[in-house]
Each structure stands twice: as C-alpha cells, then as structure tokens.
Amino acid sequence: MATSSDGALVQVVGLKKYFPITQGIVFQRKIADVKAVDGLDFSIQRGETLGLVGESGCGKSTTGRTVLQLYSPTAGQVVFQGKDLTKLHGEDLRKMRRNMQMIFQDPYASLNPRMTVGDIIGEPLEVHNIAKGKEKKERVQELLSIVGLNPYFVNRYPHEFSGGQRQRIGVARALAVNPAFIVCDEPISALDVSIQAQIINLLEELQEKFHLTYLFIAHDLSVVRHISDRIAVMYLGKIVELTDRNALYANPLHPYTKALLSAVPIPDPIIEEKRERIILVGDVPSPVNPPSGCRFHTRCPLAIDICKRVDPEFRDVGNNHWVACHVV
Amino acid sequence: MSQAMSALEPPLGWASRERSSQEQLARRIVSNLPALLGAAVIVWMVILAIFAPIIATYPYDQTNLNAVEQPPSLAHWFGTDALGRDMFSRVVWGARSAVFVIVMVTVIDLGLGLQLGAAAGYLGGWVDTLVMRVADILFAFPGLLFVFFIAATIKPGLLAWARTHGLDDLARSGYLDYAVVIIALGVIGWAGLARLVRAQVLTVKEREFVISARATGVPTWRIILRHVLPNSIAPVIVALSMGMGDIALSEGYLSFLGIGLQPPAPSWGNILADNAGQYWRTFPQMIWLVLIPGLVLASVVFAFNFLGDGLNEALNPEISP
Amino acid sequence: MATLLEVKDLKTEFRTQDGVVHAVNGVSFTVDEGETLGLVGESGCGKSVSVLSVMRLIPHPPGKITNGQVLFQGRDLLQVDDEEIRSVRGNKIAMVFQDPMTSLNPVLTIGTQIGEALELHLGMTKEQARKRSVELLKMVGIPEAEGRLDDYPHQFSGGMRQRVMIAMALSCSPQLLIADEPTTALDVTIQAQIVDIVKRLKTELGMAIIWITHDLGVIAGLADRINVMYAGFVIETAPVKEIFGNPLHPYTLGLLTSIPRLDAAMKSKLTPIEGLPPDLIEMPKGCPFYNRCTFRTDQCANENPALELGAVRHSVACWNWQDVLKKRAAYLSGRA
C-alpha cells in the first residue's frame, strides 16, 4: 500500500474501472474496454487532503466517482470507515452516503434548476432523516451562512446566482449531512479567477472547522499544491507518483511529473524568462489501447528499452515517496 | 465570514430583474399572439363541451322535417341539415365529443407513454429493448391506416362482447363507438410519447445534478420523481399539445369515414360526412353545412398547433430569436 | 515601432430582453508592429467583444458598435465597406479561437480548409496551395504533414487541431494575429507546446499578436504589454514586467494575490477578491470595481476614474493608485 493503513479513513486497493465499448443494437457485443482507471492503490488519512492531478482523460474524475461507488468498480476494494464499499448495495450503500459526499465541477449543471436553494440543500437532510420542517429550514439557513451566503436566499432558484455563489450552494449541500469525507471534483475550474480563491479559502476553512477529509481532484497543479497535503499524479489510468506536496514540488522523480511541473506557467515575467521547459512531444495515447510496458514510454524523454516491455512497479523509494518508473 | 457576506449578495438591480420561471413562462406565452389565440380557441371549446346542454339551442338529435336545409337564421344560427337538425347545437355537442376523445386518448398516451418511456430510459436493459421494439413496430405501419384497421377489427369484437354480456342497450347506444375511437387512437399514440420521454430521460439522467443526487444518497424513486421527470417534461408538454390537435383531426377522419362516431352522436367528422352529400347536391347554396363544421375542426387543430409552438418557444427560450 | 492598430473610444452594446448590456464601454489601446499585447480579464469583462468589434464580427442584432474608431494601418475598419473588411479578415488580421473543433468544418479535409484561404486571398493554384499547406503544417509542428493533409478534423486531437487553426491563421502571413483564449481548452502540457510554437513563430514572422486570456501565468511569459480589463473598461495598461512587478490598480493586485502560484512560499493564504463583478445592464455610476475594492473612497462611488499615467508607459484607472502603491507590500507578502 502507498501508505500505512493506520489512521486511514479511505483505503483504495487495486481499483479498476473499465467502460465497455459495445457494438450492435439488438445484440450488444463488447468489442473493447476504455481502461479509465487501471489499478490504483492509495489511502487517505483522517483530516488530510489528497490531491489527484492529471490531464484530461487520465481517469481522475472516474477515480473520484468510483471511490464513491457512483460507478461500480470493475475490480478492487474501497475501504471506508472499516467497511468495503464495493460489497455494499442498495439501501446499505445509500445510508453510507451520509458520511461521504461530493462537490462537482460545474455549478451550473450540478444543481437541479427546478428546485429552490432550500430544497437543494434540504434534500440530503430529508432523505437521511436528519431534519424535517422547521428544523430543516433552520439548518439550511445555518448552512447558507456557513458557506457565506445570505440565509434569506432559501426560496431562490439556482439561475438567480452567479457561478461562485452556486458553487457555495453545492458546498452547503455536501456539508448538510456532516460527512467525514468529501470528494471535490475540480470544484473551481469552472469559476472565474477572482472567484476561485474565494472557494479555495472556503474549502480550507470548512476543513479546519469540521475536520473534513478531502480527495481534491484538479488539473491545475498550482491549486493542488496550494490545498493538498499529499499529491498523486495520474497518467492514463494509473498513479505514476505519490508523495507529500513539498517533496513532489521540490524533488519530482517521475519524468511525467517533471514535465507537468515545468509546463505550468508562473505569473511572473521575470521567472518565466529564465525557466527551462520540458516540452513533451505528441499527445496522450488512447486509454482503449494503452501502450505496452510503461504507459508513458511513448512520450518519455528518458525511455529505455525495458520501459516498452515491462510495466514499472509502483514502489516506495523512501520517505513515503512512491513512484512507478524504471529509470528512477 | 459575516463581513464577507454583504459583498456576496447579488449587486443592486440584479434581484429586481430576476423573475420566477413561471412568470417568465407566462410572459413569453402572452407575448406570442398565435399561441394566445390558440389558447383562447381551446378554452372556448372546453367551455362549449362542458356547458353543451345549456348552450345548445336544441337537442343535438332532434329532427324537424318542416325545417330542413335552412340557411343560418336567428332560430338556427348555423342553419339546419337534411333532417332538419339544428347545426349550431350539433357543432356545440360535437365539441363535447371532441374534448372527451382528446382527454381520454391523452390519458392513455400519458399513462402508457410516460411510464413506459421513463422506465425504458432510466432502467435500460431488456425493459428498454422490449418497449422500444414494440414502439418501432407501431411506427412501422402507416399511422392512419393502422387506426382504421384497429377500429374496424375491434368494433365487431366489442359489440359481440356487449351482447354476450347482456348489454344490448350499450351495444345500441353508440357509446361503444367512443371506446373504439379512443382505443384505436390510444394504442398507437403512446409510442411517440414513449420515445420522446425515453430520449429525455436518457439525457437528463446523465446530467450532473442527477449524479449529485445519487451521491447525496437520494433514493432512486425520488430521483426519478423530483430530479429526472420535472426536467424532462417540457418537450412532453409541447408534444401533448400538438398531439391533441392530431387526435381531434383523427377523430374527425374516422367519423368522416364512418368508422368512428356514428350519427346521431354528434362529431364534427360525421357532421361533415353527413352534409358532404347534400353539399354536392346543392352547391353552392348550402355551403355553410360543410364550411362551418370544417372551419371549427380546422381552427381547433390549428389552435393546438399554435399553442404547441408557443409552448415550445416559451419552454426553450434559447430557440426563440 | 510604428503603430499597427489603434482603437479609440470603442463602445459595444447588446440589446437583450432584460435591457442593454454594456459590454465594451469606451476602450482605447494600440498595438505596435511586431508587439504582443495581452488582454487579460474574467468572463464578461469585454476582452473578446472588443476584438470581435475590431474585426466587425459582432452579431447584429443584438450587438452594436455604438462609438469609436479602429484604425488599422491608418484606415478606420468601422467605416470601410463589407468587401474591404473581408479582404482584411483572414488576410491581414487573422484569428484563432478557443474551441478549434467548432471553428473547423467537420466535413472538409484539413488540406481543403487551409487551401481555401490561400486560393481565395492569394490567388494560388491548387498545386501551389497544397505545397504551401504542407509548409504551414510543418511550421506549426504537425508530424508527417503531407500525409495528414487529407485527414478530417475529427482525426486530430485537440492540441493538433489548435495547431491546424494556427496554420490556417498564418496562411496569408497576417500582420496581426488575434488569439482568443487559444489554450484554455487544452491540457497544460499541450498548452506549453502551443505557447512554444507561437513564441517561435512570433520571432520568425515578426507579426503582432493580441492574446486574450484569463490566465495570468500564460500571458506572463508571452506578452510585451498587458491591458487588464474589467466590466468593459481597460483599467490598467503597462509593459508586462510593470504589471506583474508594479501593479497599481486594486483589481490587478487582487488578481495577483488571489491565484496560487507554483513557486509561492508554503501555506500562504490566498487573498480573494470578495464579491461579484457589476451588472453590465445597470452599470454603477462610479468606478465599476467600487463594491469589491478595499481601497475605495467616497469619490469612487460617484466618479468613474479615467486612465492616467502612474509610471513610465504605465496607465491606471483608479483614484487611489498612490494609496495602492503605499500599502501594496502587505498584500504581496507571503509570496515568493
């Protein structure tokens, strides 16, 4: 395992999620799989934020949804609060959702346009039998003020709010049931620059106040570095490097991590002038037919012969710094 | 946090411009003249249907051989037909037939179409395959011909059933004709609606707020009722409105061709058929005998289509200019 | 350097059901030959609308340019006839958009689409156009260019499509390239590839560029000068190092302190800009940034400041920029 399991709130073992590609209308035949998530091992400690970064199509969002059993995994285990979620079904799983929640990327798509803010935030309270009627309304108003919105807004509809305000509504809904664990799936990428910091600060404040554990999924390394305690870098359905954030930024080991870090622009023209970039050639290969051996070898500047044949082992190189590379 | 809060409220002027979605819908329909006209015609038809016994000046089947083929007058506003029946009264009672058939067929369409479509869309798998294949088969036949076929086949069956159960009065009454028309139109009508509902449900169930409801732990039935259906319903309402016009027209066809409602039961279709013979004989003096029921039927069909168009634009503001 | 494009007091508005949206409210700027100008701002700040106005590509109705001049090589583009503006578009001024998929015609091959402009504007034969197309695709770094000419847009990845768009934009050797968020839809490693290509082409071809973005990181390494826009106004303009090293407008300062930096000191707290941009239908009387500004005074509520010189080649639209200058250090502390 990528970390010791003591104190781990979430423990993911060998997690895989394949989406079948089918052909035919009456008789559907499976012709291939999209290997969106292909064997992940990681754990998240109580109260920490694990950042999950990667480019589009690397499987980071699928990972988040599979961990929460919104997609049923193809293989693997997700142990949460001592229970294997993959073994839970129906009502048992539904009740478990009280302890784990999600914040979505698109604040325009993730709120039901035909429900009022009060109904949206109140729904989790109702379906988990936490509060009803007047009590529910009071709790909703409390939640609104916790996320920095006017409690007077309960009867408004989502379209009356800006993107940042909607995201606050999404946060309030996730918070309503007092969860232990929240998956934040790119919660700020759809927001304007000046609004992003508002939401980041809010998430940080709430974590401190309610002792939350986050899986923070993002493509923006600057944001992930800011908010995370440890960071996992994904490439084509696998984690290639996992370590605490200082080590990742000070001493990246995997060539993909290095390229990713060097590609992130820094808002300072003087630094930008002097920076050396590692420009990767080509595009990310298709997850339907990933390259043999190490999946990164087609773009890797350091690839050697063995990389084409053997998939490198994900191993600890010391100080809980995990990496999957032959060259390191 | 409270310090930040005041800054987070929408800027001044924002709230005053925001209207509730119902208000916006109403505003968009009112600003659409054809839709408003359509709605007015439909309201009128319903009023006529409900208050037919009060509004009609004569019983719809009362013949008067002393006053046949009279032109419109104060006593007979729409004139009389070859048997001296008051045309105004027959047209008014015809509205009741039309509304009854429209409502019943729509109830069948909704009952079957909404449920089967929603089930096919949300559950998928074999339910989806079965429902959609049956719908495909219904679609494979030319619609009107199929309705004729059903109407013609089920009528003898229904009559025989009534007689064997000692319901001779029912068999003679003409009420069974309503059943024939309603079943024939209902059997094929649901398929289109089911397809539409399924397609809507398929798109809506992938929308992020549905996934977010699942993540929150909302039970499946509640997701369908509160999240999926309310967001799928707009095109269904439009299709229903347009469909009602089609039902009125189809009932007219069937009755005109003698497979639907039989005289003396009043239907705009059979009034047209009855009078068409006279019309050719006496053209052009008796033109009102065909013109009036024809115009009434046409205006109702147009009314539903205008309303449907108006609803379509009002419910999908992005398509309107 | 000679001035290539001069925009004077440009105003563009959109008439909607809810009222008139004041998208661009009197914007003036210049682009010199060979210069790269960054237009920076958030959605709705008018950065895209102002360059679409320059190209006369504002859909009318609902949009309308109500005031201003756009002098390109001395001619006012807002006054010339439709034929003349068409001969400028794609020829002397070219554009690259955010989403390459919607800007390419899915049923035509890449070769046909690049060739079209060459045949139309430069009167090339099919043979010549094909040869030139291959050169252009090579220039933007598309491997096996000859073979890919007969491919359709869907056969290219997002990054490759954006390269094709750039190749098309460069086909007539424009004097000005307008790039509207060209890397926003792309991944960071692909973005680095595109930025690299544009930097190289800029020195090779010597064209001027207007690069529109909300990403201060991308623009820092690319632009010579930056216009920061807010609510349809240019609120600060300066050479790139001035903007980042000596921000004078509270909004610019706020943007710089609100984004996490890869090289920032650890666990620095972000300072967000609280609140929301103003309603563009009912514009505030005074400074548009007033309700979010931490430096505001009573004057700001009533009078909208015009751009004034704050340093060499550095203009700012703020009544209290000297106050910003004094207190700025506290905001910037905790950063690298």
Side-chain angles (χ1 to χ4, degrees):
Chain A
M1 293 318 90
T3 44
S4 62
S5 58
D6 0 302
L9 181 71
V10 182
Q11 178 103 36
V12 173
V13 185
L15 190 70
K16 288 186 183 181
K17 178 63 195 174
Y18 294 176
F19 294 100
I21 303 172
T22 55
Q23 219 171 41
I25 295 164
V26 181
F27 302 104
Q28 295 199 332
R29 291 174 290 122
K30 195 175 91 167
I31 51 169
D33 279 313
V34 178
K35 300 183 174 97
V37 174
D38 203 8
L40 302 188
D41 299 297
F42 62 88
S43 65
I44 309 172
Q45 306 301 303
R46 214 171 277 277
E48 89 167 336
T49 300
L50 178 69
L52 193 57
V53 281
E55 296 178 280
S56 50
C58 73
K60 58 190 188 298
S61 281
T62 307
T63 305
R65 291 184 179 194
T66 312
V67 165
L68 290 185
Q69 307 298 306
L70 292 170
Y71 297 146
S72 53
T74 307
Q77 284 181 314
V78 178
V79 180
F80 173 68
Q81 294 182 331
K83 286 199 184 110
D84 184 357
L85 296 180
T86 61
K87 300 275 192 306
L88 295 180
H89 297 284
E91 197 58 14
D92 294 337
L93 181 60
R94 193 183 77 72
K95 283 190 179 136
M96 201 66 186
R97 296 200 180 284
R98 187 182 163 160
N99 305 312
M100 48 189 201
Q101 290 287 314
M102 185 153 176
I103 297 168
F104 290 83
Q105 172 178 4
D106 185 346
Y108 291 87
S110 61
L111 303 178
N112 187 339
R114 290 177 194 276
M115 283 165 75
T116 62
V117 170
D119 286 339
I120 289 170
I121 301 173
E123 187 168 46
L125 297 171
E126 235 173 88
V127 300
H128 290 290
N129 298 319
I130 297 170
K132 268 197 219 131
K134 189 161 167 277
E135 202 187 333
K136 184 181 93 176
K137 197 181 166 196
E138 281 169 11
R139 174 76 176 134
V140 168
Q141 292 186 324
E142 185 195 341
L143 285 160
L144 280 172
S145 55
I146 287 174
V147 298
L149 290 172
N150 190 331
Y152 167 75
F153 289 165
V154 276
N155 291 321
R156 295 201 182 185
Y157 286 88
H159 73 265
E160 300 174 54
F161 295 88
S162 69
Q165 290 176 321
R166 285 171 186 230
Q167 200 57 296
R168 288 173 192 265
I169 297 168
V171 172
R173 173 182 50 193
L175 223 54
V177 290
N178 266 327
F181 175 51
I182 299 181
V183 173
C184 309
D185 187 4
E186 305 237 19
I188 60 158
S189 9
L191 304 177
D192 263 322
V193 188
S194 77
I195 310 294
Q196 290 185 354
Q198 295 177 4
I199 300 295
I200 294 176
N201 282 2
L202 176 68
L203 289 173
E204 285 180 334
E205 281 166 27
L206 295 174
Q207 177 165 44
E208 213 168 293
K209 202 161 166 185
F210 300 107
H211 312 291
L212 297 167
T213 304
Y214 289 146
L215 175 61
F216 193 96
I217 300 166
H219 66 271
D220 185 331
L221 280 101
S222 324
V223 171
V224 167
R225 172 178 182 267
H226 176 85
I227 202 166
S228 308
D229 299 307
R230 284 186 310 139
I231 295 168
V233 181
M234 271 186 91
Y235 184 79
L236 218 58
K238 280 181 182 276
I239 294 178
V240 295
E241 187 161 2
L242 194 169
T243 183
D244 77 82
R245 62 163 184 179
N246 294 333
L248 189 84
Y249 285 86
N251 180 26
L253 295 177
H254 198 284
Y256 178 64
T257 314
K258 286 180 187 166
L260 209 52
L261 286 170
S262 90
V264 177
I266 289 175
D268 190 331
I270 296 160
I271 295 174
E272 279 293 299
E273 252 175 16
K274 288 183 235 141
R275 275 177 95 197
E276 287 285 325
R277 285 235 150 76
I278 307 168
I279 303 275
L280 289 177
V281 288
D283 292 307
V284 181
S286 158
V288 178
N289 199 3
S292 62
C294 173
R295 291 178 175 200
F296 187 58
H297 85 253
T298 53
R299 299 173 80 195
C300 183
L302 308 175
I304 50 175
D305 197 39
I306 187 175
C307 303
K308 291 175 192 155
R309 287 180 286 108
V310 184
D311 191 7
E313 186 201 350
F314 188 50
R315 62 185 206 281
D316 189 354
V317 292
N319 297 324
N320 248 325
H321 193 146
W322 292 70
V323 62
C325 180
H326 293 297
V327 186
V328 172
Chain B
M1 198 52 83
S2 62
Q3 192 190 356
M5 207 163 69
S6 60
L8 287 164
E9 287 171 35
L12 278 174
W14 183 320
S16 60
R17 228 178 41 252
E18 287 298 343
R19 299 175 186 90
S20 78
S21 44
Q22 287 92 335
E23 254 176 275
Q24 286 185 359
L25 189 67
R27 193 169 51 105
R28 285 196 214 102
I29 291 183
V30 170
S31 63
N32 183 333
L33 191 64
L36 207 61
L37 255 159
V41 169
I42 292 161
V43 168
W44 259 109
M45 179 174 69
V46 174
I47 290 173
L48 288 183
I50 295 172
F51 299 108
I54 302 168
I55 295 169
T57 41
Y58 296 87
Y60 62 85
D61 55 352
Q62 181 184 310
T63 56
N64 180 358
L65 295 177
N66 293 323
V68 298
E69 295 182 354
Q70 298 229 331
S73 64
L74 274 179
H76 302 285
W77 295 351
F78 291 179
T80 61
D81 69 4
L83 295 172
R85 291 179 292 205
D86 179 54
M87 285 288 292
F88 174 71
S89 304
R90 286 186 64 73
V91 167
V92 169
W93 280 93
R96 182 176 267 204
S97 295
V99 168
F100 180 65
V101 170
I102 289 171
V103 169
M104 292 310 288
V105 172
T106 303
V107 166
I108 295 180
D109 284 356
L110 258 183
L112 288 173
L114 202 60
Q115 294 189 32
L116 291 176
Y122 198 82
L123 302 175
W126 66 266
V127 181
D128 187 22
T129 310
L130 185 71
V131 172
M132 285 303 112
R133 287 306 84 79
V134 173
D136 286 347
I137 291 167
L138 288 176
F139 265 106
F141 292 99
L144 204 57
L145 209 62
F146 194 54
V147 173
F148 291 166
F149 173 75
I150 300 172
T153 18
I154 59 173
K155 194 176 174 185
L158 271 175
L159 282 174
W161 171 84
R163 294 215 174 84
T164 53
H165 288 77
L167 300 167
D168 285 0
D169 283 350
L170 182 68
R172 269 194 300 276
S173 69
Y175 286 134
L176 281 181
D177 293 327
Y178 284 93
V180 169
V181 170
I182 289 165
I183 294 171
L185 293 177
V187 161
I188 66 154
W190 66 269
L193 203 62
R195 270 193 180 176
L196 182 69
V197 172
R198 172 182 176 268
Q200 277 300 110
V201 168
L202 279 180
T203 27
V204 174
K205 88 168 176 183
E206 293 305 321
R207 295 205 18 212
E208 214 161 58
F209 63 82
V210 173
I211 297 168
S212 116
R214 282 180 56 208
T216 302
V218 181
T220 307
W221 60 267
R222 194 179 157 122
I223 291 180
I224 296 181
L225 278 181
R226 297 206 51 180
H227 297 275
V228 177
L229 280 181
N231 286 288
S232 317
I233 215 75
V236 175
I237 291 171
V238 174
L240 279 179
S241 170
M242 303 259 194
M244 287 179 189
D246 281 350
I247 296 167
L249 195 60
S250 305
E251 185 266 315
Y253 278 139
L254 288 173
S255 302
F256 184 85
L257 293 169
I259 322 170
L261 308 181
Q262 309 292 329
S267 148
W268 296 331
N270 69 32
I271 295 171
L272 268 170
D274 272 3
N275 293 340
Q278 320 302 324
Y279 169 81
W280 295 121
R281 188 166 56 74
T282 56
F283 179 80
Q285 295 91 328
M286 302 288 166
I287 192 165
W288 67 84
L289 287 179
V290 208
L291 204 58
I292 290 171
L295 280 178
V296 169
L297 178 57
S299 61
V300 165
V301 174
F302 274 114
F304 277 116
N305 279 291
F306 284 155
L307 181 66
D309 267 340
L311 283 170
N312 193 27
E313 275 176 27
L315 294 166
N316 304 300
E318 63 272 19
I319 65 160
S320 53
Chain C
M1 279 244 195
T3 302
L4 181 65
L5 177 79
E6 181 168 12
V7 176
K8 285 184 184 169
D9 201 24
L10 183 73
K11 288 183 183 161
T12 305
E13 56 190 39
F14 291 85
R15 286 165 200 279
T16 68
Q17 263 194 346
D18 292 324
V20 179
V21 176
H22 303 279
V24 177
N25 302 308
V27 160
S28 305
F29 62 87
T30 59
V31 183
D32 290 343
E33 279 171 13
E35 182 187 41
T36 301
L37 174 70
L39 282 189
V40 178
E42 298 173 85
S43 49
C45 74
K47 56 193 192 301
S48 290
V49 175
S50 53
V51 294
L52 287 174
S53 303
V54 164
M55 296 282 273
R56 290 223 331 242
L57 288 171
I58 295 290
H60 173 65
K64 194 167 191 297
I65 300 167
T66 56
N67 190 42
Q69 282 183 305
V70 175
L71 301 169
F72 180 71
Q73 297 179 319
R75 272 181 312 171
D76 186 354
L77 296 184
L78 299 183
Q79 302 301 330
V80 301
D81 60 26
D82 285 358
E83 198 173 330
E84 208 169 340
I85 190 84
R86 271 198 295 274
S87 74
V88 173
R89 272 185 219 145
N91 188 13
K92 291 178 175 153
I93 307 180
M95 265 192 101
V96 179
F97 294 93
Q98 175 175 348
D99 185 353
M101 200 55 201
T102 52
S103 330
L104 286 168
N105 184 337
V107 299
L108 296 178
T109 63
I110 292 301
T112 318
Q113 296 189 55
I114 304 178
E116 202 173 28
L118 294 169
E119 288 166 45
L120 193 76
H121 285 304
L122 303 182
M124 287 191 179
T125 63
K126 276 218 150 41
E127 277 306 297
Q128 290 170 318
R130 212 178 151 80
K131 220 178 120 204
R132 176 76 180 139
S133 301
V134 174
E135 284 172 21
L136 285 164
L137 290 183
K138 280 184 179 157
M139 203 156 83
V140 294
I142 290 182
E144 296 149 46
E146 286 93 343
R148 303 226 60 179
L149 220 46
D150 297 316
D151 284 351
Y152 289 88
H154 72 264
Q155 290 166 294
F156 290 80
S157 68
M160 285 296 160
R161 262 184 239 134
Q162 199 56 290
R163 291 179 195 226
V164 171
M165 287 306 298
I166 294 172
M168 281 173 74
L170 298 181
S171 60
C172 299
S173 312
Q175 281 135 313
L176 176 61
L177 175 72
I178 298 177
D180 188 353
E181 306 246 6
T183 60
T184 304
L186 304 175
D187 275 318
V188 59
T189 59
I190 310 297
Q191 167 175 290
Q193 293 172 355
I194 300 288
V195 169
D196 198 46
I197 288 164
V198 171
K199 272 187 188 163
R200 197 188 76 225
L201 293 174
K202 178 182 140 185
T203 42
E204 274 175 25
L205 306 175
M207 65 192 163
I209 299 175
I210 298 179
W211 187 285
I212 300 172
T213 184
H214 66 273
D215 188 332
L216 287 166
V218 172
I219 204 66
L222 203 60
D224 301 316
R225 209 152 47 81
I226 286 179
N227 285 355
V228 181
M229 289 191 69
Y230 189 77
F233 296 96
V234 173
I235 52 110
E236 186 162 11
T237 174
V240 64
K241 285 178 191 168
E242 270 284 304
I243 284 279
F244 286 93
N246 182 26
L248 293 179
H249 197 285
Y251 177 65
T252 313
L253 181 64
L255 281 182
L256 288 171
T257 55
S258 68
I259 49 173
R261 280 172 61 152
L262 203 56
D263 61 342
M266 279 303 160
K267 268 300 169 197
S268 57
K269 188 98 175 148
L270 299 178
T271 317
I273 306 173
E274 298 293 355
L276 299 168
D279 187 337
L280 293 175
I281 291 175
E282 289 166 46
M283 289 288 286
K285 181 167 60 149
C287 173
F289 191 60
Y290 172 77
N291 67 336
R292 307 174 76 182
C293 186
T294 45
F295 295 89
R296 65 184 168 197
T297 55
D298 288 345
Q299 187 184 18
C300 309
N302 299 310
E303 293 169 67
N304 190 7
L307 279 175
E308 63 175 55
L309 220 51
V312 183
R313 298 188 68 211
H314 187 160
S315 301
V316 57
C318 177
W319 297 119
N320 305 315
W321 63 266
Q322 274 147 339
D323 197 27
V324 177
L325 193 60
K326 270 181 253 158
K327 297 183 190 159
R328 189 173 62 196
Y331 286 82
L332 291 170
S333 68
R335 285 150 42 85

